[in-house]
Amino acid sequence: RRLSNPLEIMKPYYDVVVVGSGYGGGVAAARLASAGRTVCVLERGREIPVGEFPARLSQMNRELQVSSGLGRIGNPAGLFDVRLGRHVHVAMGCGLGGTSLINANVCLSPDPRVFDDTAWPQEVRRDRLLAEGFVRARHMLRPEVSPNGSSYEKVAALRIAASAFERQVKPIPLHVAYESGPNAAGVHQEACIECGDCCGGCNVGAKTTTRSTYIADAAAFGAEIFTGVRVLSLSRDGQHGWRVWAMPTEADTHRGHRYFITADIVVLAAGTLGSTEILLRSRAEGLALSDWLGSRFTSNGDAIALAYNNDVPVNGIGVGQPPKAQVPPVGQAVNALIDLRDTKDVRDGLAICECALPSAFAAALPALLAPGAAAFGEQQEGSLGDKLEAMERATDSLIKGAYQGAVHNTQTFLAVGHDAGNGLMRLEDDRLAVEWTNGPQQRVFERIEDALTTAAHATGGTYMRNPVSEKALGGNLMTVHPLGGCTMGESSATGVVNHKGQVFDASGGAAPGAVHAGLCVCDGAVIPCTLGIHPLMTITALAERAMILLARDRGWQMREGAAPAQAAAAAPAAELQGAKARERNLAWFARWRRRSPAPVEGE
């Protein structure tokens, strides 16, 4: 069932507006709706039902949007959102559920020493509410290790790579349903079929996204969900707390399309880039915010690389549903970890895992990887026989496709470490730009490359960097885990938000710890340092913690557990109500969207 509503029923005022529907936004919407608040969720992407995720390369192309300082090409609501920068590129998801729709489901917590970093406010380091946040996150996402994880060929290949470090691989808990049945929000999920397409969007319904958990729970408690809405900026409202300025996502410019809704509380959860961009634009329009806004960007030490044409089978290309090839079970996107985090200095730690590529890429991989390996690959010296076998496998892939030969024997690595976290985000011609001049040269990426080269050579593969990281192609980093920009601090002199996610008020004469009442940030943008591991669990736990504190400060009681089953099953009735409300509110909405608002403070 669809959770999103027609825009015509959107009201001019809500108690709470949540911007974004990923891990932070999902938590905020579900918890505040359960506390009896009227909640509106605004998502710039669209709702993609199970079964409608891209399964072929042509469909993948239609779901791609690429932005740079020169503009944007592709579908503005495309599922795969790639931001090209001067020094670092960012890939993220766009849709109801955010990046949870296309991530690798990795539910790992940071090394506890990460929270000893003085970048974290004292409250986060000392109270036990973050631990409670992790408990709540695990309850809702229900991460479990795959029961068949040790049998997958890509895990067996990683096991050989781990032996080069004298390590054993560790299984990774994933937010995936291995058995059919209701999840923590009461939503039915089908059992995982081990097709490997997690990072292309799950067409089975086994992937436990925020859409199927937190957002579904929020809707069952009465939250109204709207998609195709791009939030531009925020400003104070004389009657209520805030005006949320927005426009349709598909519009090329806000001219003639800009409108606002009001709320007492606004929770920004549009992702690291989205939340930072909204606040940067709000500051440009007059909202007093900390000078730290946009700073401390980090890639979370991300690196992506390949071991091409190994001597052992990997079976690391998804097959989709229905399956595109008759091969052994691929497994989930990620199943196992080489954990190199037990270093004396926590910032020297690394984590390496394998990853299955989506089946939609399969048709293009043989023609892409063979010349890429020849041009950029690093291969160990081998015998003539080894070279002839490698050539035979490459030929098999070119003739027979990705599920045989060299591509079938290719391992994809995802590595995470600790970079310096000193990037900067700012607006250029009203577009977000990331500056990180020394990012690609940081020592952590050299250490990751050395480790991945060792892992690739352990299985006889040709080491290939992410193509965009090759100097001949720009040498930029690529991250799927951007953090920072609205980081936590003790005051406006050290951060953008406090330990609760409340945004500091940097007005002249305001106390250092003063906050803008009713304005919070609740996503990866608040994290003040690298985590050294995939961040989804930490983002979710911090959001749970922030909602506990918000409810406590306001004297609200959040209901424990999922909404009543009858509320979750009321979608058809809600659709009928929506149709009636559409007839009632259409004239008002048309006037509202056409409105050319008079200038307000900050415009």
Side-chain angles (χ1 to χ4, degrees), residues 125-403:
R125 287 183 275 142
R126 292 179 180 175
D127 71 27
R128 297 188 57 82
L129 282 181
L130 183 57
E132 172 66 16
F134 276 106
V135 169
R136 291 178 178 232
R138 292 188 185 97
H139 169 75
M140 201 67 168
L141 298 176
R142 294 184 177 178
E144 293 183 44
V145 170
S146 171
N148 301 320
S150 62
S151 67
Y152 302 139
E153 289 181 312
K154 61 191 178 77
V155 173
L158 190 72
R159 199 174 292 122
I160 297 172
S163 67
F165 302 95
E166 299 182 347
R167 300 297 176 100
Q168 300 290 323
V169 298
K170 295 181 178 180
I172 296 176
L174 310 170
H175 56 61
V176 171
Y178 303 109
E179 296 181 0
S180 296
N183 63 21
V187 175
H188 179 83
Q189 289 185 240
E190 294 296 330
C192 177
I193 61 170
E194 305 173 302
C195 74
D197 261 11
C198 307
C199 294
C202 180
N203 280 319
V204 175
K207 188 179 176 72
T208 307
T209 64
T210 59
R211 175 184 177 269
S212 67
T213 52
Y214 285 109
I215 296 297
D217 206 37
F221 276 117
E224 295 182 358
I225 320 295
F226 300 97
T227 58
V229 179
R230 180 189 170 202
V231 172
L232 299 168
S233 62
L234 310 172
S235 62
R236 301 306 302 256
D237 182 77
Q239 181 178 2
H240 303 290
W242 296 96
R243 292 185 179 186
V244 180
W245 295 90
M247 60 178 275
T249 299
E250 71 274 9
D252 292 332
T253 173
H254 64 72
R255 192 178 303 277
H257 296 284
R258 190 167 179 252
Y259 58 86
F260 68 87
I261 59 177
T262 57
D264 292 328
I265 295 174
V266 174
V267 179
L268 281 181
T272 290
L273 272 62
S275 293
T276 303
E277 180 178 358
I278 291 167
L279 286 185
L280 283 169
R281 193 174 289 113
S282 302
R283 185 172 68 180
E285 295 175 357
L287 187 62
L289 300 172
S290 169
D291 290 338
W292 284 98
L293 179 62
S295 65
R296 294 175 182 161
F297 170 88
T298 169
S299 72
N300 200 37
D302 269 9
I304 304 170
L306 300 171
Y308 172 72
N309 198 357
N310 290 282
D311 294 336
V312 298
V314 174
N315 193 27
I317 311 299
V319 295
Q321 173 64 10
K324 296 180 174 65
Q326 296 301 314
V327 295
V330 176
Q332 296 71 42
V334 168
N335 290 105
L337 174 76
I338 303 175
D339 196 344
L340 304 174
R341 294 180 293 165
D342 56 347
T343 50
K344 182 176 181 181
D345 185 339
V346 67
R347 295 187 63 82
D348 290 334
L350 300 176
I352 301 171
C353 59
E354 38 67 44
C355 184
L357 297 178
S359 64
F361 293 141
L365 289 174
L368 289 175
L369 295 185
F376 304 117
E378 298 177 17
Q379 188 175 21
Q380 280 185 317
E381 287 297 323
S383 67
L384 177 60
D386 291 338
K387 292 179 180 178
L388 290 174
E389 289 180 6
M391 290 176 62
E392 182 179 356
R393 290 194 298 267
T395 302
D396 277 351
S397 285
L398 288 170
I399 295 173
K400 300 176 183 178
Y403 299 103

Side-chain angles (χ1 to χ4, degrees), residues 478-513:
M478 169 69 82
T479 180
V480 294
H481 299 138
L483 302 173
C486 305
T487 54
M488 290 183 176
E490 303 286 354
S491 70
S492 60
T494 58
V496 180
V497 303
N498 65 12
H499 71 101
K500 301 178 183 180
Q502 298 171 313
V503 178
F504 288 123
D505 183 351
S507 303

Side-chain angles (χ1 to χ4, degrees), residues 569-580:
E575 290 172 7
L576 292 175
Q577 282 187 337
K580 295 177 181 178

